[in-house]
Amino acid sequence: GSIVVRVTAFGSKGLRVRFPPLAVVPFGKVLTLNRSGKNQHRFNAYLSVKKFAQERIAPLVSKMDENSAMDEAVIKDLFDQGLMGIEIDPQYGGTGASFFSSILVIEELAKVDPSVAVLCDIQNTLINTLFVKLGTEAQKECYLPRLSTEMVGSFCLSEAESGSDAFSLKTRAEKHKDYYIINGSKMWISNAEYAGVFLVMANVDPSAGYRGITCFIVDRDTEGLHIGRKENKLGLRASSTCPLNFDNVKVPESNILGKAGQGYKYAIGMLNEGRIGIAAQMVGLAQGCFDQTIPYVQQRVQFGKRIFDFQGMQHQISHVATQLEAARLLTYNAARLKEAGKPFIKEACMAKYFAAEVATLTTSKCIEWMGGVGFTKDYPIEKFYRDCKIGTIYEGTTNIQLTTISKFIDQEYNG
Amino acid sequence: MSARVLVGVKRVIDYAVKIRVKPDNTGVVTDGVKHSMNPFCEIAVEEAVKLKEKKLIKEVVAVSCGPQQAQETIRTALAMGADRGIHVEVSGKDYDNLGPLQVSKILAALAKKEETSLIILGKQAIDDDCNQTGQMTAALLDWPQGTFASEVVLEGDKVKVIREIDGGLETVRLKMPAVITADLRLNTPRYATLPNIMKAKKKKIDVVKPGELGVDLTSHLEVLRVDEPPQRQAGMKVETVEELISRLKEAGRM
């Protein structure tokens, strides 16, 4: 079959008019076709998210990647669709759905654009969760409604000198009567360009080591907070990643989220959950790439037959599809364990580690299967290949995941 | 103004799916095939929900006729803003033979039962392309009809409908209760947002059997055979206009 395309154009009244599918058109308009029918029966609600992503986000993906900038309309749409406050209680304007819903949404968005997916992932699994779990009623009432409807949040942990070794962070918060003065800088902060609030991990008592790390709520317009120039990245380019500078930033004591000195615990806790979100992003990325490759492979004829019909191709394709399915199931399993209140950290690490590897494998193979066109920017495949690499790096490098998994195994087998 | 609107929503094979004819030529393959709400029905739902948002009507009731899966289609309508749903349970052979005549009898019966002011339907379904249900429903109820609507304006106890016709646009004014069928340019259906999908889970769907409505589902049509369209033949290049004319004459086309 040919690659089916859906074109959205504007009719004479300026109304969006939908046309029936056209024939083959190169990238910019290639649409993902999810052939895995079995999931659709179970997750019918997510068809709406899929449709939204394919109609509203897909046409903008290439441009956003090239310009290294997220279209503001996309961010607004995510809020309007209720996708930025998925687990927040409706009393605060949120959607009131489950953690698993967040995972499915992130996966669906990643099939179209992993940059959009990570924006949604950070908001839901890191920012919102921290406020919901640790916020005082006053803090919740102040921030949750805005986080649900219009305000993006950023999570600020990493620094130039502390990535994996997160707790050696140097950003300092000095206590004065009823306020703190924060000095330092953060690096690799996602969503920074459009965030209205920053959750900043700073140390109030370096002599206590990591037990001085405290989570501060810092509003964007606070004096002394400078957002640096965004990084020029290989992939996930539409996701803004900036350094931050804190120059005598004054925050009231009431802006501490949770308890002083407990920040390290909160960070680890949230990242354990965030890991599952990243796994979902990687699974969606791989699936989106795969979905756009197979129709081409079915259509391309060499030596008188479809290249799909060569046994070498079939075996490679099946292998990748199986790995993808395994990554998905690891992710869903970790999500379910977490929701059921059972231990899930080892499984979350496994999911994130494996999904990132599978994304790398899938995208790399997809470029090969597409041949020459896979190597051009006219087709969306090369973007997925560039986007996947960060999966083995952020929110806990693969090496960190593997070390963590081994710690659990060590404990399990320690009689 | 009681202002209840009945909206018909049909579950059809998704427009993007490549249709395959069954090997026995009795129909098309539907098992395991992706289904969704008929696009014109989406437009109908959107129009009804818009009227409710403008506070011109009180309640939007989404109706679908079919097997258990028809409830998914109703849920989508609920997620778009319909207040409640009615699932008219039809399955098996009855469902295979369900056509505009049977559906319009069902809708007519429901309209009377539910004290409806307005029935809004899609102009046609993308599977059978019948374009009959709205018209038949109006006839059975002896209600006025405004079909192929590209604009709907409520004016007290009347409704002004601008219809897309071959020659352009025709404006008609109907005294309610009335039947309207939605055409492509009537509106742009909204996406069901995640919060609305969650809310829709709590909305009510009543299940009704056609017998309870006094409707006889007997079909007076028999499908003899379903075939794929003929394969497109290759064209032919000609060198001169004279050759073109002689070829056309040979082929009996002139």
Side-chain angles (χ1 to χ4, degrees):
Chain A
S2 50
I3 297 175
V4 174
V5 157
R6 181 120 169 256
V7 173
T8 301
F10 288 89
S12 54
K13 289 191 208 166
L15 295 173
R16 200 195 69 203
V17 171
R18 288 190 277 191
F19 294 96
L22 304 181
V24 179
V25 169
F27 179 54
K29 303 191 173 125
V30 176
L31 190 59
T32 58
L33 294 171
N34 187 347
R35 308 261 183 192
S36 74
K38 65 173 166 16
N39 280 335
Q40 284 163 354
H41 300 297
R42 275 185 283 154
F43 308 125
N44 261 309
Y46 305 93
L47 293 180
S48 182
V49 177
K50 177 197 284 300
K51 187 169 156 193
F52 156 73
Q54 287 174 346
E55 290 180 16
R56 299 285 291 186
I57 302 178
L60 302 171
V61 170
S62 170
K63 184 190 78 169
M64 296 197 297
D65 177 60
E66 206 170 302
N67 296 339
S68 210
M70 182 81 63
D71 195 313
E72 277 177 22
V74 169
I75 303 178
K76 179 166 190 307
D77 273 344
L78 288 175
F79 279 111
D80 289 345
Q81 292 295 305
L83 302 179
M84 295 291 264
I86 296 175
E87 291 169 73
I88 295 180
D89 198 294
Q91 82 175 96
Y92 298 110
T95 299
S98 64
F99 175 70
F100 202 82
S101 307
S102 298
I103 295 305
L104 292 175
V105 169
I106 294 165
E107 185 187 347
E108 272 316 315
L109 292 175
K111 289 179 189 171
V112 172
D113 191 349
S115 296
V116 176
V118 83
L119 170 65
C120 181
D121 164 80
I122 290 172
Q123 183 90 347
N124 282 290
T125 68
L126 296 183
I127 310 297
N128 293 349
T129 308
L130 280 165
F131 273 102
V132 167
K133 286 221 167 102
L134 306 169
T136 61
E137 197 50 46
Q139 288 168 338
K140 285 187 196 176
E141 273 178 30
C142 180
Y143 290 97
L144 290 181
R146 286 186 287 158
L147 290 169
S148 299
T149 57
E150 51 161 23
M151 183 168 75
V152 176
S154 258
F155 182 66
C156 310
L157 175 65
S158 293
E159 298 177 2
E161 305 300 316
S162 57
S164 294
D165 189 8
F167 295 161
S168 68
L169 62 88
K170 297 262 182 322
T171 300
R172 179 91 169 82
E174 253 177 38
K175 188 169 199 299
H176 299 256
K177 282 180 295 206
D178 60 348
Y179 62 91
Y180 287 78
I181 301 284
I182 300 179
N183 273 294
S185 46
K186 295 290 181 186
M187 194 130 162
W188 311 118
I189 306 307
S190 297
N191 299 353
E193 268 180 305
Y194 13 82
V197 67
F198 297 83
L199 292 179
V200 182
M201 298 298 188
N203 201 319
V204 300
D205 182 8
S207 71
Y210 63 84
R211 289 178 202 277
I213 296 177
T214 304
C215 184
F216 289 92
I217 304 168
V218 181
D219 296 314
R220 186 193 187 86
D221 52 12
T222 311
E223 204 182 312
L225 169 61
H226 302 289
I227 298 161
R229 197 188 57 135
K230 69 182 164 210
E231 305 287 346
N232 186 8
K233 305 192 298 289
L234 167 69
L236 243 62
R237 288 171 59 80
S239 164
S240 99
T241 311
C242 305
L244 256 54
N245 257 320
F246 297 87
D247 196 358
N248 290 325
V249 173
K250 181 178 170 188
V251 267
E253 194 168 11
S254 54
N255 273 31
I256 291 183
L257 193 58
K259 293 197 174 67
Q262 296 283 288
Y264 72 99
K265 258 193 213 160
Y266 306 150
I268 300 185
M270 289 314 113
L271 289 171
N272 283 332
E273 299 180 15
R275 197 148 290 177
I276 306 176
I278 298 300
Q281 182 208 26
M282 288 293 127
V283 169
L285 188 164
Q287 189 68 57
C289 186
F290 190 82
D291 286 348
Q292 302 212 45
T293 304
I294 298 305
Y296 180 85
V297 168
Q298 291 173 315
Q299 180 205 37
R300 174 92 173 155
V301 171
Q302 290 285 272
F303 303 106
K305 56 183 184 179
R306 306 181 304 168
I307 58 173
F308 192 102
D309 293 324
F310 289 89
Q311 193 180 53
M313 287 293 291
Q314 289 172 346
H315 286 194
Q316 289 177 25
I317 290 169
S318 299
H319 174 72
V320 167
T322 307
Q323 299 288 301
L324 225 176
E325 182 74 355
R328 176 176 289 114
L329 294 180
L330 274 172
T331 307
Y332 290 176
N333 187 49
R336 290 195 176 113
L337 286 170
K338 180 213 171 285
E339 272 200 330
K342 295 192 190 302
F344 69 93
I345 299 173
K346 182 181 80 164
E347 287 78 5
C349 290
M350 287 175 157
K352 197 253 182 193
Y353 146 63
F354 193 71
E357 297 289 308
V358 169
T360 308
L361 166 72
T362 305
T363 54
S364 186
K365 277 297 173 200
C366 282
I367 294 191
E368 287 175 32
W369 299 335
M370 298 279 284
V373 303
F375 203 67
T376 70
K377 283 186 179 282
D378 295 313
Y379 286 75
I381 310 303
E382 60 82 34
K383 175 177 177 292
F384 284 110
Y385 178 73
R386 286 185 285 111
D387 284 346
C388 79
K389 203 64 229 164
I390 193 63
T392 58
I393 299 171
Y394 69 180
E395 273 199 53
T397 65
T398 290
N399 287 340
I400 293 291
Q401 306 300 339
L402 292 170
T403 304
T404 309
I405 294 168
S406 73
K407 287 198 179 115
F408 279 92
I409 297 173
D410 205 4
Q411 279 170 20
E412 280 167 40
Y413 284 82
N414 250 343
Chain B
M1 200 203 323
S2 83
R4 176 176 293 127
V5 174
L6 215 63
V7 181
V9 293
K10 187 178 180 187
R11 179 177 180 263
V12 298
I13 295 178
D14 187 83
Y15 78 89
V17 167
K18 187 173 193 297
I19 307 292
R20 266 179 256 277
V21 174
K22 286 203 272 210
D24 60 5
N25 293 96
T26 56
V28 299
V29 177
T30 54
D31 274 342
V33 169
K34 182 176 176 200
H35 284 66
S36 31
M37 189 190 291
N38 181 40
F40 294 106
C41 298
E42 284 181 356
I43 298 175
V45 174
E46 175 67 22
E47 196 62 22
V49 172
K50 271 203 170 104
L51 289 174
K52 192 180 117 171
E53 283 171 347
K54 288 186 196 150
K55 301 210 197 308
L56 295 169
I57 58 151
K58 281 229 185 64
E59 196 189 28
V60 178
V61 182
V63 180
S64 194
C65 306
Q68 179 64 22
Q69 296 97 314
Q71 291 202 10
E72 289 165 13
T73 312
I74 299 176
R75 286 266 170 239
T76 306
L78 295 175
M80 285 173 72
D83 297 291
R84 60 182 167 92
I86 300 175
H87 169 210
V88 181
E89 207 167 25
V90 180
S91 47
K93 271 258 155 268
D94 281 337
Y95 181 60
D96 293 336
N97 294 333
L98 197 67
L101 182 58
Q102 292 76 22
V103 173
S104 51
K105 286 181 186 171
I106 291 172
L107 291 176
L110 280 173
K112 289 196 196 125
K113 187 166 173 258
E114 297 281 343
E115 288 176 2
T116 309
S117 318
L118 212 53
I119 299 178
I120 308 182
L121 308 174
K123 70 172 179 182
Q124 66 196 57
I126 60 171
D127 50 11
D128 54 24
D129 280 339
C130 283
N131 200 308
Q132 297 170 0
T133 307
Q135 292 87 336
M136 285 180 174
T137 309
L140 287 170
L141 288 166
D142 198 25
W143 286 7
Q145 55 184 266
T147 55
F148 307 98
S150 69
E151 199 178 321
V152 170
V153 181
L154 250 57
E155 294 171 347
D157 64 343
K158 299 205 175 57
V159 55
K160 182 175 88 174
V161 179
I162 298 183
R163 308 178 56 230
E164 295 199 5
I165 61 175
D166 287 345
L169 296 173
E170 179 191 61
T171 308
V172 294
R173 190 172 278 114
L174 318 171
K175 189 150 184 290
M176 303 215 285
V179 175
I180 297 175
T181 73
D183 207 329
L184 186 64
R185 280 158 281 271
L186 179 58
N187 60 49
T188 305
R190 63 195 63 195
Y191 297 102
T193 67
L194 205 55
N196 285 342
I197 294 171
M198 302 297 298
K199 282 184 203 146
K201 288 188 187 171
K202 300 198 184 100
K203 293 182 183 173
K204 203 154 84 96
I205 299 181
D206 291 312
V207 183
V208 163
K209 287 204 170 35
E212 292 166 38
L213 298 170
V215 170
D216 169 24
L217 292 180
T218 318
S219 176
H220 304 277
L221 296 174
E222 187 195 336
V223 172
L224 297 175
R225 203 186 151 82
V226 175
D227 285 298
E228 274 188 16
Q231 287 277 25
R232 202 190 143 129
Q233 297 299 323
M236 190 193 304
K237 263 190 177 165
V238 294
E239 296 296 312
T240 65
V241 173
E242 287 77 17
E243 197 189 339
L244 173 65
I245 293 176
S246 72
R247 292 267 190 203
L248 285 171
K249 281 192 175 151
E250 263 172 51
R253 304 285 191 167
M254 274 182 75

